[in-house]
Amino acid sequence: MDVSSIISPLNDAQRLAVSAPMQAMLVLAGAGSGKTRVLVHRIAWHLKINHIAPHNILAVTFTNKAASEMRHRVEELLNISARSMWIGTFHGLAHRLLRQHAKQAKLPETFQVMDSDDQLRIIKRLLKSLNIDDTKWPPKQVQGFINGQKEEGIRARHMSDNGDFYYRQMWQVYKAYEELCDRSGLVDFAELLLRAHELLRDNEDLLSFYRDRFQQVHVDEFQDTNTIQYAWLRLLTEGNNNLFVVGDDDQSIYGWRGAKIENIFNFQKHYPDHQVVRLEQNYRSSGHILKAANHLIAHNDSRMGKELWTDAGDGLPLSLYAAFNEQDEAYFVVEKIRQWVKDGGLRSDIAILYRSNAQSRQFEERLMTTATPYRVYGGLRFFERMEIKNALAYLRLSANPHDDASFERIVNTPTRGIGAKTLDDMRILARDNAVSLWQASLTLLQENRLPPRASSALQAFLNLINKLSQETANHEALFESVKYVIEASGLIELYKKEKQDKGETRVENLEELVNAAKLFDYDSNNPENLSELDLFLTHAALEAGEMQGDADEDCVQLMTLHSAKGLEFKVVFMVGVEEGLFPSQQSFEDPGRLQEERRLCYVGITRAMQQLTISYAESRRLYGKDSYPRPSRFIKEIPAEAIQEIRIRANVTRPVASTPSYNSGPASKSRYKLGQAVRHEKFGDGVVLQTEGDGEQERVQINFRNAGIKWLMLAYAKLDLI
Ligand code: ATP
Ligand code: MG
């Protein structure tokens, strides 16, 4: 291997950072300036030039996709296997630590990770058992409170009564929740981080072992670390001065989830011998795109301030499309995608980015009807589907019978005659004796406290779980256990009986789960030899969207703006750029949040390399409600010369803000107004988008439901108004 490949593809500032002596380092730079590239090359530098062994390297990022990308890039650069490096997300690495040191972390070996959905269920149940009215104390709010405390490193025992009624009630629930989780061996996402921090903080030997081990610690997207993540990094590195962080204050987008931009200042305080490197050249986007991003973000105050430049030339201006409604928006975007592919482009070069997961449906439908392969990240993830969660709950319970969340989920799914009364008895017994539901069931059975029918139903359930856990221990390959579970649990049978497509899809998904267990790459996810079942179950709790679409297929990428952070695409569609959606309604009142929305928009714009299209709809149906939103203020913050409006509406004037009627301009004599529904004998039904010319020359552009967008000469086209 030629060592010069570590340095030669870098500019001077990047080289400075990559080849710096071992010391704390902050690379503070805007989007697309090569921060992640610097981080990867820095790791390669350590391995090759400083002769640090791969297992002495720790690197943290925020998504699994980014982590595997990073590992991949290092391997490619050096032509080595980087398997023994600790590269992962904060949650993934915390989990790994807890598994390996479960006892010292005061967790049962069989502990299970629950996702936020499971957490919410547990909280609902807890409120019920504490007789707390969940209309007055919404479970989501309780969840937010608990996670917020954990993100700050605060346990219930650290809190004290401050006389505030709201606070006291939340505190009590938090306390009960902690007890319940401990008893059930359940760990939520925030708990992973907090406990991994406590593990190192409270075990001196362990801490010094890991401090010696991780000679260099690297963090990407540092601006989005929260209090506990930063505290964890400090534990590992303080004194050794070996923390290398890269970030961009303008891309901090997780303040609402506890991320602290201040960590950038804290870093500078806590590591006095640090060096700061700034990068200013952008290598990702063409000039117009960069200009748009620079102008937009300049509207925020208290920035650390940096300007990006490129020598790539202006490139194409941004396109702006005012859609009639959300369907028209999807039609338009998918039409442009088809054009790109027709011209020889790859689908995987394209991303559709939206503010809210609920927006994906329109695009999915349109992509589906046009048979365009796509992949959705996030949203209702594969592992979050009901049938999959049910199957996983069987697996979880067979791994850890005290997992109350799983117990609740499947004790009567499929129905097996365990009624509400029996369940209540169980819950009360469990609560009063501070034991798991499993333990409570055993007691009820042993003491003969149930009527005969309930008793035999419950016994059958416990037998089934015992049998499953034997089977999973016996099977060589995990997928065989999964196969066994979906059959023996009766789930397959249950869904086969379900009517129509839904049941069929659920059965297919269950079969896909077997497949997922088969294809899961245990090796590269498992440098420390954990059990396959544990690995797979954790993967299911932590992984986002990995299962959708065939990984090898050339797919259009759909995701929220949040999950696009750090990624890049040749062609980007930023959709639904409307007041109330983006920026979100909730941010209107709060200048801090509004600025965070603007940073999110900056993230969105800077994902694009060559083409960026921004769209908004003049009427939108979302969450079952109709609205007539105004275009987002962010659009006005982009300089006019960098943006080109696509729709030339000769005869149609844009409706005045928030009026649902579409008035024709004064010059219009046409019968065809914007939004007019028409029928064509060949193309079917559609709506009018715009008209042009008059008399013999009059042309009309129509968005046909099935045939897409077409221009027609009115003199020839046979159109009926409908
Ligand atoms: P973000 O803030 O969005 O995470 P980033 O600062 O991490 O961006 P990278 O993803 O590392 O930026 O780099 C952006 C693009 O520029 C990548 O395609 C990368 O390969 C390319 N790039 C970075 N540095 C150089 C360079 N010196 N020469 C050529 N290309 C480069
Ligand atoms: Mg990056």
Side-chain angles (χ1 to χ4, degrees):
M1 194 226 57
D2 180 9
V3 207
S4 70
S5 67
I6 299 177
I7 281 298
S8 52
L10 302 173
N11 66 29
D12 285 350
Q14 293 173 331
R15 288 177 185 189
L16 194 78
V18 166
S19 61
M22 299 264 209
Q23 66 180 355
M25 164 88 72
L26 165 65
V27 179
L28 185 64
S33 59
K35 293 182 299 297
T36 304
R37 177 183 276 221
V38 161
L39 201 142
V40 166
H41 285 244
R42 174 73 170 170
I43 294 174
W45 176 269
H46 284 317
L47 295 176
K48 260 312 168 277
I49 310 295
N50 293 335
H51 302 293
I52 295 181
H55 76 270
N56 294 125
I57 298 274
L58 177 71
V60 199
T61 76
F62 277 82
T63 64
N64 290 292
K65 194 173 158 71
S68 68
E69 178 91 21
M70 195 178 280
R71 180 190 306 278
H72 193 71
R73 288 216 238 161
V74 174
E75 291 184 334
E76 217 168 44
L77 201 56
L78 298 182
N79 203 6
I80 55 158
S81 158
R83 189 163 288 173
S84 57
M85 279 194 307
W86 277 47
I87 296 190
T89 62
F90 279 102
H91 290 103
L93 295 173
H95 170 255
R96 188 186 288 182
L97 276 175
L98 295 179
R99 276 277 173 233
Q100 274 172 52
H101 309 287
K103 208 161 153 212
Q104 277 153 297
K106 304 192 189 70
L107 284 172
E109 299 266 334
T110 51
F111 80 85
Q112 294 294 318
V113 182
M114 59 177 165
D115 63 18
S116 50
D117 197 47
D118 292 330
Q119 186 189 26
L120 194 63
R121 269 168 168 268
I122 282 256
I123 289 172
K124 278 186 191 151
R125 191 188 116 210
L126 188 67
L127 293 176
K128 207 165 158 202
S129 80
L130 296 173
N131 291 322
I132 295 175
D133 179 357
D134 69 3
T135 55
K136 293 204 185 91
W137 302 91
K140 271 226 144 98
Q141 210 168 314
V142 175
Q143 183 178 32
F145 180 87
I146 292 176
N147 292 342
Q149 298 302 318
K150 290 189 180 190
E151 275 148 16
E152 294 298 322
I154 301 166
R155 294 276 182 207
R157 64 171 182 279
H158 299 138
M159 299 167 63
S160 54
D161 194 350
N162 67 0
D164 178 75
F165 174 67
Y166 171 85
Y167 180 87
R168 190 164 53 226
Q169 178 80 305
M170 286 293 189
W171 174 30
Q172 293 312 316
V173 179
Y174 182 18
K175 199 148 64 178
Y177 172 80
E178 277 188 325
E179 282 161 14
L180 176 63
C181 289
D182 281 346
R183 188 157 81 224
S184 322
L186 288 174
V187 173
D188 60 51
F189 288 167
E191 181 72 25
L192 281 172
L193 301 177
L194 176 55
R195 210 170 270 249
H197 176 256
E198 292 170 344
L199 171 71
L200 294 183
R201 187 195 60 194
D202 303 338
N203 292 280
E204 222 172 292
D205 293 349
L206 211 59
L207 178 60
S208 80
F209 171 80
Y210 280 108
R211 287 169 71 120
D212 288 346
R213 170 168 184 168
F214 297 130
Q215 294 178 22
Q216 281 295 312
V217 176
H218 308 81
V219 188
D220 201 356
E221 311 277 4
F222 181 67
Q223 75 281 353
D224 276 327
T225 50
N226 66 23
T227 302
I228 202 76
Q229 288 163 334
Y230 178 59
W232 185 75
L233 293 168
R234 261 185 89 191
L235 270 182
L236 282 173
T237 56
E238 220 182 13
N240 290 340
N241 221 27
N242 56 345
L243 181 58
F244 186 98
V245 304
V246 310
D248 177 5
D249 56 305
D250 289 331
Q251 293 187 71
S252 158
I253 53 175
Y254 283 104
W256 56 283
R257 238 168 50 179
K260 295 269 162 24
I261 272 194
E262 302 90 285
N263 285 343
I264 298 182
F265 300 112
N266 292 334
F267 173 90
Q268 305 193 53
K269 205 166 63 203
H270 294 139
Y271 298 84
D273 291 330
H274 72 276
Q275 193 182 346
V276 179
V277 170
R278 287 174 180 268
L279 310 173
E280 270 154 10
Q281 181 168 3
N282 173 293
Y283 290 92
R284 178 181 293 148
S285 312
S286 49
H288 279 310
I289 295 171
L290 207 55
K291 191 172 191 178
N294 279 336
H295 272 78
L296 174 100
I297 199 66
H299 287 80
N300 270 4
D301 49 32
S302 64
R303 298 173 56 217
M304 292 177 186
K306 43 198 146 39
E307 193 79 5
L308 285 170
W309 60 274
T310 176
D311 61 11
D314 279 350
L316 293 172
L318 282 63
S319 306
L320 177 67
Y321 181 68
F324 167 58
N325 59 17
E326 73 279 3
Q327 275 160 335
D328 177 33
E329 184 181 47
Y331 268 65
F332 170 80
V333 167
V334 174
E335 251 354 270
K336 280 197 77 162
I337 289 174
R338 286 158 65 82
Q339 196 56 49
W340 170 264
V341 175
K342 216 164 116 201
D343 294 343
L346 286 174
R347 283 184 283 268
S348 55
D349 285 336
I350 304 170
I352 305 177
L353 307 181
Y354 35 80
R355 178 67 184 84
S356 143
N357 275 314
Q359 286 168 261
S360 77
R361 197 180 57 85
Q362 290 294 340
F363 295 94
E364 290 192 60
E365 268 174 23
R366 191 63 201 146
L367 287 162
M368 227 149 16
T369 20
T370 55
T372 314
Y374 68 93
R375 183 169 174 188
V376 188
Y377 291 82
L380 190 57
R381 306 188 257 134
F382 178 77
F383 287 118
E384 281 170 7
R385 290 169 204 274
M386 180 182 87
E387 62 279 13
I388 299 299
K389 292 204 81 161
N390 287 342
L392 290 174
Y394 276 95
L395 286 168
R396 281 181 200 282
L397 203 59
S398 71
N400 166 22
H402 303 295
D403 178 341
D404 278 1
S406 298
F407 191 101
E408 285 263 352
R409 185 173 252 287
I410 53 170
V411 61
N412 211 23
T413 308
T415 40
R416 47 175 67 88
I418 299 176
K421 171 81 179 61
T422 312
L423 271 172
D424 275 343
D425 288 350
M426 253 188 267
R427 287 185 191 125
I428 291 167
L429 189 69
R431 186 192 61 196
D432 293 348
N433 297 308
V435 294
S436 66
L437 291 170
W438 178 269
Q439 187 57 51
S441 320
L442 287 177
T443 310
L444 286 178
L445 288 173
Q446 274 155 13
E447 297 178 1
N448 254 327
R449 283 161 58 179
L450 295 173
R453 271 190 49 200
S455 164
S456 66
L458 185 59
Q459 187 62 58
F461 176 66
L462 300 191
N463 292 346
L464 173 65
I465 298 302
N466 281 329
K467 183 88 196 325
L468 290 182
S469 82
Q470 273 165 26
E471 287 292 330
T472 37
N474 289 340
H475 281 130
E476 250 182 36
L478 178 63
F479 80 90
E480 289 174 15
S481 310
V482 178
K483 207 163 161 179
Y484 179 84
V485 160
I486 63 174
E487 301 274 351
S489 61
L491 285 177
I492 288 268
E493 210 176 322
L494 170 73
Y495 297 125
K496 273 194 177 146
K497 277 189 284 193
E498 215 171 81
K499 274 183 235 87
Q500 293 150 357
D501 299 354
K502 233 186 186 156
E504 209 171 295
T505 314
R506 294 195 201 282
V507 171
E508 280 168 16
N509 282 338
L510 286 175
E511 281 158 0
E512 189 52 34
L513 184 67
V514 178
N515 211 19
K518 203 187 272 181
L519 296 177
F520 182 58
D521 182 0
Y522 299 99
D523 286 344
S524 68
N525 283 291
N526 191 19
E528 318 281 339
N529 299 317
L530 308 179
S531 99
E532 285 197 350
L533 180 59
D534 284 339
L535 270 176
F536 186 68
L537 290 175
T538 310
H539 168 77
L542 290 177
E543 191 52 87
E546 204 87 321
M547 295 305 305
Q548 267 157 345
D550 186 338
D552 298 329
E553 199 178 9
D554 180 29
C555 289
V556 177
Q557 319 275 306
L558 274 70
M559 65 192 84
T560 62
L561 288 149
H562 278 98
S563 37
K565 197 172 65 155
L567 306 179
E568 58 188 22
F569 307 91
K570 284 191 184 147
V571 180
V572 168
F573 294 91
M574 199 158 79
V575 300
V577 187
E578 297 147 21
E579 287 290 296
L581 185 53
F582 190 31
S584 71
Q585 191 80 41
Q586 299 93 300
S587 68
F588 287 174
E589 307 287 299
D590 178 347
R593 281 183 79 167
L594 188 63
Q595 300 212 9
E596 182 151 306
E597 294 282 302
R598 190 176 282 110
R599 292 194 291 270
L600 189 58
C601 187
Y602 174 80
V603 167
I605 293 175
T606 53
R607 297 312 94 197
M609 301 163 89
Q610 299 172 1
Q611 291 185 25
L612 173 61
T613 302
I614 293 176
S615 60
Y616 60 91
E618 290 169 342
S619 94
R620 177 176 299 278
R621 194 172 174 79
L622 192 69
Y623 308 118
K625 271 197 295 224
D626 288 317
S627 64
Y628 302 94
R630 277 175 298 141
S632 170
R633 69 192 74 192
F634 298 151
I635 294 174
K636 295 185 203 88
E637 295 172 0
I638 296 171
E641 70 266 23
I643 205 161
Q644 203 170 54
E645 192 146 3
I646 296 184
R647 185 149 123 200
I648 321 132
R649 284 189 269 176
N651 286 322
V652 192
T653 49
R654 180 176 309 227
V656 190
S658 71
T659 6
S661 60
Y662 297 89
N663 308 312
S664 294
S668 169
K669 288 186 280 309
S670 173
R671 312 196 286 152
Y672 297 94
K673 291 182 185 146
L674 173 65
Q676 170 68 53
V678 291
R679 182 167 294 149
H680 183 271
E681 60 174 6
K682 182 154 151 242
F683 301 131
D685 292 354
V687 293
V688 172
L689 297 182
Q690 53 178 317
T691 62
E692 233 180 49
D694 45 30
E696 284 278 287
Q697 297 305 319
E698 187 173 1
R699 300 190 328 138
V700 50
Q701 191 189 34
I702 299 167
N703 189 351
F704 288 106
R705 193 168 303 155
N706 295 318
I709 297 178
K710 298 203 181 301
W711 276 106
L712 300 175
M713 293 293 288
L714 277 179
Y716 306 106
K718 286 210 181 73
L719 278 180
D720 293 326
L721 299 183
I722 54 177

